[in-house]
Amino acid sequence: MIQPQTYLNVADNSGARKLMCIRVIGTSNRKYANIGDIIIAVVKEAVPNMPIKKSEIVRAVIVRTCKRI
């Protein structure tokens, strides 16, 4: 269950290392995101010399969580 202000580790090779969720895409009052949901996030930590930089706004898909579905 991912909610706004949650810090996330990135599981791809885009250049971002950590994201912070700022919005869950879906209905207007949706509070949590689960596996497969799309979120809007801001990059908090990035790898040097990569196309994605710190403080960029990105869309992300939740692929793994600690809690089961």
Side-chain angles (χ1 to χ4, degrees):
M1 294 181 15
I2 308 300
Q3 60 188 0
Q5 303 296 318
T6 302
Y7 276 75
L8 308 163
N9 293 324
V10 178
D12 68 354
N13 59 356
S14 64
R17 285 188 182 156
K18 290 193 184 273
L19 300 176
M20 184 180 74
C21 175
I22 56 175
R23 185 80 174 134
V24 178
I25 301 293
T27 59
S28 61
N29 58 356
R30 192 159 176 197
K31 294 184 180 181
Y32 303 110
N34 288 313
I35 294 174
D37 292 338
I38 299 172
I39 63 167
I40 296 178
V42 63
V43 177
K44 288 296 188 177
E45 186 179 325
V47 178
N49 302 323
M50 292 297 276
I52 293 186
K53 304 295 181 198
K54 187 176 173 183
S55 75
E56 279 190 32
I57 305 294
V58 295
R59 287 183 181 230
V61 176
I62 306 300
V63 295
R64 196 167 44 223
T65 61
C66 292
K67 192 170 182 174
R68 293 188 218 149
I69 297 176

